[in-house]
Amino acid sequence: MTQNVKDFLQVLKKRDYRQLRREMEMDVTEETAGKNPYETDAILFRTMLEQESPLILEHDTMGFNRTLRSVPFYRDSHGNKASSDVKRGNLIPDYGFALQKGFDAILTDVEKMLDERGENDFHESVIMVLRAALDFADRYREEARQKGNTRLYHALCHIPHGRPTSFYEACVFMKFLLFTLRCNRNIHITLGRFDQYMYPFFEADLKAGVSEESLFETLEEFFISINFDLDIYFGVQQGDSGQSMVLGGYSVSGEDMYNRLSELCIEASLELNLIDPKINLRISNRTPIQRLEFATTLTRQGLGFPQYCNDDVVVPGLIALGYAPEDAYNYGVAACWEYLVSGNAMDIPNMFTMNFPMVVETALRQELKNCPSFDAFLDKVKEGIRKECDHLMEMAKGREKDGEFTQKSPYLSVFVGACLERGKDVSEGGAVYNNYGFHGAGISTAADSLAAVRKAVYEEKICTAEELLEALADNFEHHVELRNQLLSYPKMGNNDDYVDSLASELMGAYSEYLNGKPNSIGGIFRAGTGSAMEYLFSAARVGATPDGRKAGQPYGSSFSPSITTKLEGPMSCIQSFTKFDMSKIINGGPLTMEIHDTVFRNEDGVRKVAQLVKGFIDLGGHQLQLNSINRDRLLDAQKHPEDHQNLIVRVWGWSGYFNELDKAYQDHIIQRTEFMC
């Protein structure tokens, strides 16, 4: 780590820059009166950039830091604020397109389209936002000149007007894009396949004689720079910024796309120890074990990444859903873990959540007494899954009718596939893909509950259906012995087909019914295994369940064992969660496993964890998230937060500082099983 990187890192950690931000009322009601929706949005964007002040921090070579906490707004005919603080996002913009062309060339192309096709509100607004962005960059260039920051000044003499001429300029261009998209109120903007679209600039610099050490310094400066404004990015909790990065992967021809820049991104994360960018590593059964061992050293760091994505499963799954092969092979991840194709999709992968335990709970109350066999009851549960899918799909239509997805975003549209050529905003189907994804929360709790019903009511007959329902309604308060028996029954995560097969039945019913169903905007629905924060929110709405869980208690995070399950070992856990064909439930949602940090204290432990990752891939897992944690340290951090200000944990699909989390999330992380493999 160079001295400049160390100094810049200290500026970040001191957080004094947060005192420079200001609130400002930016009412553009008069200016937007009578304007079309595209121009209205363009005015909001332009106003935001006009009121932002160029801020170049000490030791800062990237620039583009927020000075405003507030955003512009206008009032509708009722006097209400009609502009929200956030709008469409959770996608992978086409950074490669922007970097290879530069804004002047894009602007020229759009002006030509307008000339050739005649008046077009969308294209006119695109011209407005591009000019606003360029004006802001020019103001930053002047600020850099006045501050004597010659490196940033010379970069801004080239970009974003033109194509970057170096890796450093490409990094500044990227920071500019991330900043302006946030100013456009787009949320959870990911970094996509950073090592692919940035590699041409990296490689050209190497060939021109720039040292790798210098390029690594630039990379670390860029990584630090994207952490500055995390506290004002939209998220469920601080740290939920969406700044995920995908490394590696395979091409349509089978070429391994992992390169030296991929490796340096991991090295930078190792050295900097920051929560952003969140690293996702694409691998397959052909990935060398040495690469997995190297990635495991990052897991050892305790950041909660890399998250692993299996190309052998993901790519076929995306193709089966209708994505063109070239797009499927170019996939990345959304803010957390949902699979997205890069650059030409406006998918909404986290539309709603299939609450599996709630479906089981409904079937228990309405059907159990009348089911002569377990198979009959299981059929009712599957019927409930189909009904809930229908309900969620109708809710999606309701969100469309309410106008939630009609908010125009001409600036975002510049970086989404076919929007410019089609002359359509992202809100109008301008992207190539416009699919919706559903999460799948509490799969383990639901499967464990079904196994308990089969054992207790139909096989061992230790209670009747009525007695079980009474115990559940009572939250087990007067049924301690029955609850203990239910807790002893097979639980998902121990490689027991008795319960694992039921999880497969649930996922099969869900994915077979939902996948490919058309939505209202020319796309389809996709089934997934993630939960996001729903392991708390959805769980809070479900009463006691037959697996012994009490009312309101959390589920496991995403595609993971229940947090109270006693697990035999990590490999048994992996075997449980790889029995279903995961290519059929590909919206995303990782198997999440916590490993005690003592496992990583020697190289033998690192090798064992890497072999665990390989086993997961070889068995057909789609997504894996490994966390290095120490429960005693987390408990001490709750008692003495001042001693653990930089303690980082994986929350669900993102990492954050432990002390910045609400206690409910802290407690859930503490309760998760620590493997001692």
Side-chain angles (χ1 to χ4, degrees):
M1 187 182 297
T2 66
Q3 189 59 50
N4 193 68
V5 169
K6 290 179 182 178
D7 292 340
F8 194 30
L9 190 58
Q10 284 307 305
V11 174
L12 172 68
K13 290 184 176 180
K14 279 184 176 180
R15 301 180 179 177
D16 292 344
Y17 60 90
R18 294 183 179 180
Q19 307 304 315
L20 302 174
R21 302 205 188 106
R22 56 200 168 92
E23 299 284 347
M24 181 179 185
E25 179 150 312
M26 294 174 277
D27 187 344
V28 296
T29 303
E30 290 187 10
E31 193 174 353
T32 57
K35 304 296 185 183
N36 63 63
Y38 307 98
E39 190 173 0
T40 295
D41 190 80
I43 290 170
L44 290 166
F45 176 66
R46 184 181 65 193
T47 302
M48 182 71 182
L49 293 183
E50 286 175 346
Q51 298 305 321
E52 269 285 356
S53 300
L55 173 63
I56 303 172
L57 301 167
E58 192 176 6
H59 308 290
D60 183 5
T61 62
M62 296 290 155
F64 300 103
N65 305 294
R66 287 286 291 272
T67 64
L68 285 174
R69 290 185 172 276
S70 43
V71 298
F73 67 91
Y74 64 95
R75 297 188 182 278
D76 62 18
S77 57
H78 302 289
N80 300 316
K81 287 186 178 181
S83 175
S84 64
D85 289 345
V86 298
K87 60 180 180 181
R88 299 288 287 273
N90 214 2
L91 82 163
I92 306 172
D94 194 345
Y95 297 116
F97 163 74
L99 289 165
Q100 291 300 325
K101 287 187 72 76
F103 271 35
D104 282 354
I106 297 172
L107 185 57
T108 298
D109 289 346
V110 178
E111 288 173 338
K112 183 178 179 182
M113 292 176 189
L114 192 60
D115 288 341
E116 293 175 348
R117 303 179 190 183
E119 185 175 332
N120 180 294
D121 291 341
F122 169 70
H123 280 148
E124 288 174 352
S125 295
V126 167
I127 291 170
M128 185 187 300
V129 294
L130 288 173
R131 287 175 176 166
L134 287 171
D135 287 346
F136 182 68
D138 291 345
R139 288 170 54 211
Y140 243 99
R141 181 184 64 211
E142 178 60 20
E143 179 71 9
R145 187 189 66 79
Q146 292 184 11
K147 287 287 180 65
N149 192 325
T150 57
R151 192 181 190 204
L152 182 57
Y153 168 73
H154 287 302
L156 293 175
C157 286
H158 296 131
I159 58 98
H161 283 274
R163 181 182 184 276
T165 61
S166 67
F167 181 70
Y168 167 67
E169 288 186 2
C171 286
V172 175
F173 202 132
M174 278 297 298
K175 183 67 189 300
F176 164 78
L177 288 172
L178 295 172
F179 177 89
T180 49
L181 284 165
R182 296 284 184 176
C183 286
N184 195 46
R185 310 185 315 286
N186 298 119
I187 62 171
H188 287 147
I189 297 299
T190 82
L191 289 150
R193 302 187 70 191
F194 182 86
D195 62 342
Q196 302 304 306
Y197 58 77
M198 293 291 282
Y199 188 71
F201 303 100
F202 176 84
E203 185 180 38
D205 273 8
L206 285 177
K207 290 180 178 178
V210 181
S211 70
E212 188 175 278
E213 291 75 15
S214 176
L215 294 172
F216 185 65
E217 179 182 36
T218 295
L219 180 66
E220 289 197 319
E221 289 170 346
F222 174 72
F223 277 19
I224 294 170
S225 75
I226 66 173
N227 281 269
F228 273 94
D229 295 327
L230 296 183
D231 59 308
I232 53 175
Y233 286 172
F234 171 84
V236 177
Q237 297 278 284
Q238 284 194 30
D240 180 22
S241 65
Q243 294 187 135
S244 62
M245 173 182 290
V246 179
L247 305 176
Y250 292 81
S251 68
V252 177
S253 62
E255 180 185 359
D256 186 353
M257 303 302 290
Y258 185 86
N259 57 44
R260 181 57 179 155
L261 180 56
S262 317
E263 198 166 46
L264 290 179
C265 286
I266 295 176
E267 289 184 10
S269 287
L270 276 165
E271 196 163 87
L272 296 173
N273 203 42
L274 297 171
I275 61 176
D276 275 2
K278 295 146 181 87
I279 304 295
N280 297 267
L281 185 61
R282 284 178 51 175
I283 58 178
S284 83
N285 60 16
R286 294 167 286 166
T287 300
I289 190 64
Q290 294 84 359
R291 189 179 305 167
L292 301 182
E293 290 174 357
F294 176 53
T296 300
T297 63
L298 185 53
T299 302
R300 177 173 60 188
Q301 194 86 344
L303 300 175
F305 45 79
Q307 181 170 248
Y308 296 97
C309 305
N310 185 0
D311 279 16
D312 297 334
V313 175
V314 178
V315 172
L318 291 172
I319 292 173
L321 286 170
Y323 293 89
E326 60 271 22
D327 290 324
Y329 275 93
N330 196 29
Y331 79 85
V333 298
C336 292
W337 22 249
E338 302 95 334
Y339 292 119
L340 299 174
V341 299
S342 300
N344 58 2
M346 193 59 246
D347 294 344
I348 303 178
N350 54 354
M351 174 70 74
F352 291 116
T353 299
M354 169 60 68
N355 189 345
F356 282 101
M358 184 192 70
V359 173
V360 172
E361 179 183 53
T362 301
L364 285 166
R365 292 175 178 171
Q366 297 179 357
E367 308 291 351
L368 183 63
K369 295 177 185 178
N370 302 317
C371 291
S373 67
F374 176 75
D375 286 344
F377 177 66
L378 182 59
D379 286 342
K380 293 297 183 181
V381 172
K382 292 179 180 178
E383 182 181 328
I385 288 173
R386 293 189 288 270
K387 287 181 179 178
E388 182 63 10
C389 283
D390 288 336
H391 171 64
L392 295 176
M393 287 188 284
E394 282 300 312
M395 286 177 62
K397 291 180 182 178
R399 290 178 71 177
E400 293 167 355
K401 290 177 181 177
D402 290 342
E404 186 170 344
F405 306 136
T406 60
Q407 189 175 14
K408 308 306 178 191
S409 189
Y411 188 65
L412 177 64
S413 301
V414 172
F415 313 108
V416 180
C419 289
L420 292 181
E421 184 59 37
R422 292 179 175 181
K424 288 185 176 182
D425 190 87
V426 290
S427 65
E428 302 169 316
V432 175
Y433 303 102
N434 297 276
N435 301 326
Y436 294 161
F438 290 166
H439 294 324
I443 291 171
S444 293
T445 297
D448 295 348
S449 295
L450 290 176
V453 171
R454 180 161 62 181
K455 277 278 189 185
V457 177
Y458 292 100
E459 292 180 355
E460 296 183 354
K461 301 183 187 301
I462 65 169
C463 65
T464 64
E466 289 79 4
E467 289 168 338
L468 176 61
L469 292 171
E470 181 183 339
L472 297 176
D474 185 47
N475 202 23
F476 298 115
E477 290 300 319
H478 301 92
H479 300 81
V480 176
E481 185 175 342
L482 175 58
R483 181 176 184 243
N484 288 336
Q485 186 63 44
L486 295 171
L487 287 168
S488 72
Y489 287 148
K491 299 290 187 286
M492 195 178 182
N494 287 313
N495 192 25
D496 189 333
D497 285 340
Y498 188 88
V499 61
D500 297 344
S501 62
L502 294 171
S504 294
E505 292 277 358
L506 293 171
M507 289 186 285
Y510 171 44
S511 58
E512 288 168 15
Y513 188 74
L514 182 67
N515 281 339
K517 286 280 196 307
N519 63 22
S520 301
I521 57 172
I524 60 166
F525 287 93
R526 319 184 321 180
T529 52
S531 67
M533 62 283 188
E534 295 300 325
Y535 62 73
L536 294 182
F537 294 175
S538 287
R541 300 194 296 270
V542 175
T545 44
D547 60 336
R549 169 189 159 276
K550 287 198 169 186
Q553 288 186 339
Y555 307 149
S557 177
S558 293
F559 191 48
S560 305
S562 299
I563 59 175
T564 56
T565 297
K566 295 180 180 179
L567 299 170
E568 295 176 1
M571 198 60 211
S572 294
C573 183
I574 283 174
Q575 288 169 322
S576 275
F577 286 86
T578 53
K579 291 178 180 176
F580 184 71
D581 181 356
M582 299 307 299
S583 68
K584 296 180 178 179
I585 194 162
I586 209 66
N587 192 61
L591 168 59
T592 302
M593 300 171 63
E594 274 65 38
I595 299 176
H596 198 280
D597 61 3
T598 55
V599 171
F600 299 94
R601 286 182 180 172
N602 56 54
E603 294 306 311
D604 185 55
V606 170
R607 283 192 292 271
K608 286 180 178 178
V609 175
Q611 289 289 348
L612 196 69
V613 175
K614 179 167 175 53
F616 175 81
I617 298 301
D618 290 345
L619 287 170
H622 70 326
Q623 200 166 43
L624 178 66
Q625 186 172 275
L626 300 176
N627 307 321
S628 171
I629 66 170
N630 185 308
R631 182 176 285 111
D632 292 337
R633 185 180 300 120
L634 297 179
L635 289 169
D636 189 65
Q638 281 192 322
K639 294 179 182 178
H640 307 287
E642 68 280 359
D643 297 332
H644 303 271
Q645 291 186 11
N646 293 309
L647 177 59
I648 295 171
V649 292
R650 191 72 169 184
V651 188
W652 56 83
W654 53 276
S655 301
Y657 293 104
F658 184 77
N659 290 328
E660 292 181 346
L661 303 176
D662 289 348
K663 189 172 184 298
Y665 296 109
Q666 293 181 347
D667 290 344
H668 192 278
I669 295 166
I670 290 170
Q671 291 177 60
R672 298 174 189 172
T673 299
E674 296 171 291
F675 286 112
M676 305 290 291
C677 64

